[in-house]
Amino acid sequence: MVALMDPGDGGDRAFLIPVEGNPAPEVPASSRPLIIPTAVGKLLKRVGDSTRSNDDADDDDDLQAPPPPSTPSPHHRLAEIRGSSPPPPLVLSFSELSYSVKLRKRSILSLFRGSDEGHGEGRMKVLLDSVSGEAREGQIMAVLGPSGSGKSTLIDALAGRIARGSLRGRVALNGEDLQLHRGHLLKAISEYVMQDDLLHPMLTVEETLTFAADFRLPRSMARSRKRERVKNLIDQLGLRDAAGTIIGNEYRRGISGGERRRVSIGADIIHDPIVLFLDEPTSGLDSTSAYQVVKVLKGIALTGSVLVMAMHQPSARILGLLDRLLFLSRGRAVYSGCPEGLPDFFAGFEHPIPEKESRTEFALDLIRELEGSPGGTDALADYYRQWQDMHRRDGAVSFGDNSVGFTLRDAISASISRGKLVSGAAEVGKTTGVVAGGAYRVPTFANPFWVEVWVLTKRALINSRRQPEIFAVWLGTVLTTSFIIAALFWRLPRSIAGIQERLGFLAVAITATFYICAVVLQELIDERYIFIRETAHNSYRRSSYVLATTVAGIPSLLPISISFAAVTYFATGLAGGFSGFLFYLAVIFTCFWTGISYMTFLSGVTPDMQVGFPVMLLSIASFLIVSGFMATRDRIPAYWKWLHYMSLVKYPYEALMHNEFDDPRRCFVRGDQMFDQVPLLEGLAGDTKAVLLQGMETMLGVSMKADTCVVNGPYVLKLQGLTQLGKWQCVLILLAVGFLLKLLFYFSLLVGSRNKRR
């Protein structure tokens, strides 16, 4: 018997799956543990692979490849459960689903645009209004309706993507209320395919699916079996000819839109889920590509999946692949049934469908026409309820009927025995161990932390290596900026003016490093949406993603930092020699690393580039203003001191100031240079300067010659108020700030990637 454990509040809960060779004990139905898994494909194990006979227990897993998902394996034989009758098919039923949102306040921008958006503030808008229906195993149920009818909202409600308490009604699987499991059960056996194709553009089709397999399938599964699963899925999706082609984007030509959509679907079903939700999978595709996508989905449904998807307007060919239709109008159901029942339904509504007209087009056009009329679709919705009640009286199947003694547990076990949820194909006990009663405890994630970090780092490096133009643009920006800075501050003199120019150079150079890092902001924001899609069902840990992105970004920072430091340091003639250059390089590298960390943090808290870029500009400019360059710390108002200590520019600026001025032997202003910046004394001859110095020597009682050091480095630091921290302390603080930004990015992912409506 295999047990699925959920480390929930108050202890672990288990779902016991009877398997061959380890029969289920006789437990009263009322006291059986519930199925409470916590991750897709990690909690359910294929029956045959965990119950092999002792004779072949020592066989090498690498020599055995699983059959295609549509072909039942001879090892997958469901244990006899309460007699010889097979368990019933899975039925996803939902009844009286209602969901409302409060209208947002009117924005300031809408006032300038003359928009009416926001009028009626405080009113509730109904997105779903008592919607009921069902989807069955082996069938496709399509949710249809005009724009704004609630199609995507219903898919989100069924997939558990609406927060508990906001959704009213009941969603059940074979009669068992899924709300009782807090969404864990549905999350474990289902997958949600988003409308957008969020894929890494530089990976090939096969690589994309291979990385998906590395994330979703456990490490205990042999690598050869994972690759076999990928090959079978490529054939199932009809992508064999495109397997070696990159995904592509607007800059690189890759696969077609229909192929991209199929790859996106394939990446989410690599573990062959039992329930599959899709939000408008044919949106934006031509009729041929849309038909190919739905044809693939039909094949997936026939392998034993419950498939629910939203669609706009299916063609006649696509309609032939659909098994059930659910029409919505402004959140209300106006028809639910098979496509063949549409003519009789609308004929009874006294709007017969013309013989040669598309049934779905007629229905959608009629709904749109009624929505524009004074009474709306009230009459159609009332007729649908009467029509539904009449058919129920004629003999409808009761959802979740358990008269033969079968439970949801039995139906899921039957699906596993037919090859579903192949993420559990490896032996259960290899990584988790046996617990009491012969059950096995299965982790939330398929792989350990270090495996996830390795796979994510490998993928990031491959994706970066295939986009050399991005690195070229970044390097070109660095070289251009550094050459401009070098030309402006060429060979800084040791004088009063030279001191001011050194301060300006250090502030400009450090600020430039942070602005240069903004090049990657758009890429980081785009990748965040890929992350949200992949972690929706626990493909990997958020902490693994944060660490992997940090490690993968270091190699590109080295040549960038060396180029910037080498050009600017030697061109300006800073003090310190080679050891000073090495410290300068370390600070520049730390600036770039912290700058990337800051851009990473911004990508986690800003929705898009339109918001992120202005925030970046404003924040870095503010960091420069309060860094201590434009005004010393003592002159900064008390109510802005907190921003001074938070400034990213402050610490590298002070570190480089110490690197340049901390040696008391370095003299920056000598006796004969004292008069250079005084307007009345400017242009004095050398003899006159000598006389003045001699007079100052007599009056002050100190030696004052032409080569006497008047201003040394430590005095400059004292004037600037930079005596609290040493240079290495500043570097360590800057590194700590970089790690803090990574930690804040991690928390932003925790909060911002839950993917649930409120």
Side-chain angles (χ1 to χ4, degrees), residues 315-435:
S315 64
R317 290 197 302 168
I318 292 178
L319 185 62
L321 299 174
L322 306 179
D323 300 287
R324 300 185 67 84
L325 304 177
L326 174 60
F327 282 87
L328 297 179
S329 173
R330 295 177 179 173
R332 294 187 297 180
V334 294
Y335 175 78
S336 178
C338 60
E340 292 76 14
L342 283 173
D344 292 340
F345 175 80
F346 283 101
F349 186 61
E350 298 181 354
H351 286 77
I353 300 176
E355 184 177 350
K356 294 184 178 180
E357 189 168 346
S358 170
R359 289 169 286 179
T360 54
E361 288 183 9
F362 175 85
L364 292 172
D365 290 342
L366 178 61
I367 292 172
R368 292 190 190 97
E369 181 181 342
L370 292 175
E371 287 179 346
S373 62
T377 54
D378 293 344
L380 181 59
D382 293 340
Y383 172 72
Y384 167 66
R385 282 193 291 269
Q386 298 172 6
W387 179 85
Q388 196 177 34
D389 292 340
M390 179 181 65
H391 281 72
R392 238 188 234 114
R393 287 194 300 269
D394 291 342
V397 178
S398 176
F399 300 146
D401 180 72
N402 198 30
S403 59
V404 295
F406 289 108
T407 64
L408 174 60
R409 169 188 312 110
D410 302 334
I412 293 178
S413 298
S415 295
I416 295 175
S417 71
R418 293 195 300 270
K420 306 299 290 182
L421 288 176
V422 295
S423 58
E427 288 187 50
V428 180
K430 282 189 176 180
T431 59
T432 58
V434 182
V435 295

Side-chain angles (χ1 to χ4, degrees), residues 257-274:
E259 291 170 334
R260 187 194 306 267
R261 188 62 50 85
R262 280 178 275 163
V263 173
S264 182
I265 294 171
D268 287 327
I269 65 168
I270 188 69
H271 59 298
D272 205 2
I274 294 177

